[in-house]
């Protein structure tokens, strides 16, 4: 199946990029990078220079962000399944993944809007590679749709 030559690397890239920096927040005093893992599970506020000594040093994450690498797992699992199941899984994982990433991106930008021009967020290469991998999953779904079923009688 040609589609698995696209879906397996794309699924693996999605999983790897989850642990790489997604977002860099820049202000005149510092630059802070956040990984997908930190955005999902929370991060230490001392990373942003919070030295107040408060007991609450872990900022809550957004668990909806945790859904994004699940699409990589779905793509990897579907690449070993039959053509019909993999086609649907690729289209669903890619389409929903792209939509969810754009929603998260919009939330981040709207949350940072009130701090402009002092704070500026920039999305790192891992973010864009994940988005490209999600689009590649849609392409893998199209390829799986184009592939012919093997004839069991031959």
């Amino acid at each position: 199946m040609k589609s698995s030559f696209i879906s397996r690397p794309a699924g693996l890239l999605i999983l790897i990029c989850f642990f790489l920096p997604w977002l860099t927040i820049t202000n005149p005093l510092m630059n802070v990078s956040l990984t997908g893992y930190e955005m999902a599970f929370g991060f230490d506020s001392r990373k942003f220079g919070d030295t107040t000594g408060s007991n609450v040093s872990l900022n809550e994450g957004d668990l909806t962000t945790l859904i994004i690498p699940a699409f990589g797992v779905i793509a990897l699992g579907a690449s070993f399944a039959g053509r019909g199941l993999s086609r649907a899984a690729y289209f669903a994982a890619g389409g929903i993944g792209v939509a969810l990433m754009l929603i998260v991106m919009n939330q981040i930008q709207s949350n940072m809007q009130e701090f402009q021009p002092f704070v500026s967020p920039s999305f790192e290469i891992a973010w864009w590679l994940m988005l490209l991998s999600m689009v590649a999953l849609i392409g893998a779904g199209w390829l799986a749709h184009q592939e012919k079923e093997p004839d069991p009688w031959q």
Side-chain angles (χ1 to χ4, degrees):
M1 291 190 341
K2 294 176 186 175
S3 59
S4 64
F5 290 120
I6 295 174
S7 64
R8 288 178 187 161
L12 192 59
L13 189 60
I14 290 168
L15 292 175
I16 291 171
C17 287
F18 181 68
F19 297 100
L20 297 175
W22 276 11
L23 178 70
T24 298
I25 300 171
T26 306
N27 71 20
L29 301 176
M30 69 183 131
N31 291 336
V32 177
S33 293
L34 295 173
T35 65
Y37 181 85
E38 290 172 325
M39 289 175 67
F41 291 108
F43 53 89
D44 193 350
S45 63
R46 290 174 289 197
K47 191 172 193 172
F48 287 98
D50 181 13
T51 58
T52 59
S54 64
N55 292 335
V56 182
S57 64
L58 187 69
N59 291 331
E60 290 184 18
D62 182 13
L63 290 180
T64 58
T65 307
L66 187 59
I67 297 171
I68 294 172
F71 296 123
V73 174
I74 291 170
L76 287 173
S79 69
F80 295 103
R83 184 181 70 90
L85 177 64
S86 64
R87 178 181 57 209
Y90 297 153
F91 277 128
I96 297 170
V98 166
L100 186 61
M101 288 188 71
L102 293 176
I103 288 169
V104 169
M105 183 179 190
N106 187 33
Q107 286 175 344
I108 290 170
Q109 289 176 336
S110 65
N111 289 342
M112 294 290 169
Q113 192 70 29
E114 65 184 270
F115 301 112
Q116 295 288 344
F118 303 109
V119 175
S120 64
S122 62
F123 291 90
E124 296 298 326
I125 190 75
W127 175 267
W128 298 110
L129 283 173
M130 284 185 73
L131 190 61
L132 181 65
S133 296
M134 297 291 184
V135 172
L137 287 179
I138 296 171
W142 180 79
L143 271 179
H145 178 70
Q146 298 298 322
E147 293 171 352
K148 294 183 179 181
E149 282 284 337
D151 188 4
W153 302 106
Q154 289 184 357

